[in-house]
Amino acid sequence: MARSLLLMALILFTARAFTAETDQYLARAQPLEDSTQALNDHINGRIEDVLASVNKKSKPTSTSCKQLSGRIMWRFRLLFIHQIEIWALQGNLDVYPPRSVSGQDYRDSSIFYDEAPIDLQLLIPLARSIQVDGITFGIDKLGHFVSLGHKYYKDYLSELESGLHPANAEIAVITKGFGTEEGMIGSSVSGVFSYADLEANYQGFRFVRSLCDGPKPRIRQSEGLWVLVQPIDIREYVNPYWDESFNNSVYTEKKWQQVRNIMQQHCADLEAFENLYSDRFTAPSANMQALYATEATDHAPTQKQHSLASACAGTD
């Protein structure tokens, strides 16, 4: 009995950590401070901490760059909710709703509000939003960036070892990532298949790969030491596809019926949402292109069918 209760608690805790959703429709018009510099300082500082620790060894370069990248990524991660998310919530970044608003009040005003007597989603806290270079997204995306981005990279190395060309290995890990969003990390628990989560995963993969791979890796050897020669600028990875009011999610049928009714409260602002980021169009990444290609061959609801425009159709 005790073992069963422990297992159930672990499952619920895992679900709670991995399936945090966010409501970008509420956050769209909020005047949040730009978090770019704070994020850059935090990420680069953690990288430098790892390098300094390794450089204290008698032979620093006996640690490979690939080993270093793993150590670096674990500086941002924990087993469930991740260090970078905790750091963001501890007052280091400007968030919406502000910390003075309770998690319950946030959920009650969000598209995920549920009138059911027992709402299991109450076990899953909603992620608050931040802003980077004019792009609003949930703090949960930072967790995806470091954790699933790291997993993508490890899977990518495995694909290379199996003989795949790098371009094909990248497509393989992107496609594999779609499965994670359908499972415990996504729709099977929360009812939400988040395109924006998958974009954050992919951009995190690009970041991890940039540490040691390519013609200009961020980390190099210099005089027997490891050096960060190209600090990260988070703006290289954050794009409008991280914003779930721009790059909307797809829902299970039951979840869509619930979410659609609440989304209709934003119909008066439909034009504003449709013109989000119109002045800074970003070409779809390899991840987004693969998602669109999958949509074309799948029988599941499409992103367009679960958009704000779709929710507002016929409501006048």
Side-chain angles (χ1 to χ4, degrees):
M1 181 65 176
R3 181 179 295 180
S4 297
L5 289 173
L6 180 61
L7 179 60
M8 181 171 290
L10 179 60
I11 290 171
L12 289 174
F13 184 78
T14 303
R16 178 173 180 161
F18 275 132
T19 59
E21 303 302 335
T22 186
D23 187 345
Q24 246 63 77
Y25 296 99
L26 283 177
R28 179 191 64 83
Q30 303 305 317
L32 290 168
E33 293 181 10
D34 193 327
S35 294
T36 300
Q37 191 60 56
L39 278 167
N40 286 346
D41 290 346
H42 179 69
I43 295 172
N44 288 317
R46 288 261 162 170
I47 294 173
E48 294 282 14
D49 287 345
V50 173
L51 298 185
S53 176
V54 171
N55 284 336
K56 290 178 181 178
K57 296 182 177 182
S58 58
K59 293 184 179 180
T61 54
S62 65
T63 300
S64 71
C65 194
K66 292 290 191 297
Q67 291 171 322
L68 271 178
S69 69
R71 292 189 185 188
I72 287 167
M73 296 314 295
W74 274 109
R75 280 297 179 101
F76 303 109
R77 299 181 59 185
L78 294 171
L79 290 179
F80 300 110
I81 189 169
H82 298 289
Q83 181 277 336
I84 195 169
E85 296 173 87
I86 296 171
W87 169 83
L89 285 170
Q90 286 176 334
N92 294 291
L93 304 180
D94 189 23
V95 302
Y96 184 84
R99 294 165 185 82
S100 59
V101 175
S102 71
Q104 178 69 65
D105 288 343
Y106 177 20
R107 180 173 290 280
D108 287 350
S109 63
S110 78
I111 61 173
F112 299 107
Y113 173 69
D114 193 340
E115 294 180 340
I118 300 177
D119 180 9
L120 294 179
Q121 294 301 303
L122 290 174
L123 295 169
I124 306 170
L126 292 183
R128 297 173 195 251
S129 296
I130 61 173
Q131 183 257 118
V132 166
D133 194 29
I135 297 167
T136 303
F137 58 91
I139 287 173
D140 61 306
K141 302 299 178 288
L142 296 176
H144 280 267
F145 183 77
V146 299
S147 62
L148 275 298
H150 189 199
K151 183 181 186 304
Y152 275 32
Y153 182 65
K154 290 188 289 185
D155 290 344
Y156 173 76
L157 294 178
S158 295
E159 296 291 356
L160 292 181
E161 289 175 3
S162 72
L164 277 187
H165 183 276
N168 294 331
E170 178 174 313
I171 293 298
V173 298
I174 288 172
T175 304
K176 186 176 181 180
F178 298 168
T180 66
E181 192 63 26
E182 292 172 341
M184 282 289 290
I185 299 176
S187 59
S188 70
V189 172
S190 66
V192 182
F193 183 92
S194 173
Y195 283 46
D197 285 357
L198 290 169
E199 181 65 12
N201 295 350
Y202 173 69
Q203 296 300 333
F205 159 65
R206 290 186 58 238
F207 164 59
V208 185
R209 191 170 55 177
S210 77
L211 293 174
C212 299
D213 296 358
K216 295 182 179 180
R218 295 185 185 278
I219 299 171
R220 296 183 189 174
Q221 294 181 19
S222 177
E223 299 181 355
L225 300 175
W226 286 109
V227 180
L228 177 63
V229 295
Q230 184 184 352
I232 183 179
D233 185 337
I234 194 67
R235 293 173 296 182
E236 296 176 48
Y237 304 102
V238 173
N239 61 51
Y241 294 100
W242 287 39
D243 183 339
E244 292 189 2
S245 67
F246 173 78
N247 189 25
N248 66 270
S249 300
V250 172
Y251 306 91
T252 59
E253 183 57 33
K254 180 180 179 181
K255 196 70 174 179
W256 172 238
Q257 296 304 318
Q258 169 200 333
V259 169
R260 179 182 60 184
N261 293 334
I262 305 174
M263 284 174 68
Q264 290 170 353
Q265 298 173 7
H266 299 285
C267 290
D269 297 320
L270 176 59
E271 184 177 354
F273 279 108
E274 290 183 330
N275 290 323
L276 276 174
Y277 312 117
S278 59
D279 61 338
R280 54 185 306 167
F281 174 75
T282 303
S285 66
N287 168 73
M288 291 306 303
Q289 292 178 46
L291 274 167
Y292 296 148
T294 300
E295 267 198 352
T297 59
D298 202 347
H299 297 295
T302 65
Q303 186 181 40
K304 184 176 181 180
Q305 290 172 319
H306 286 178
S307 65
L308 180 60
S310 177
C312 296
T315 58
D316 295 337

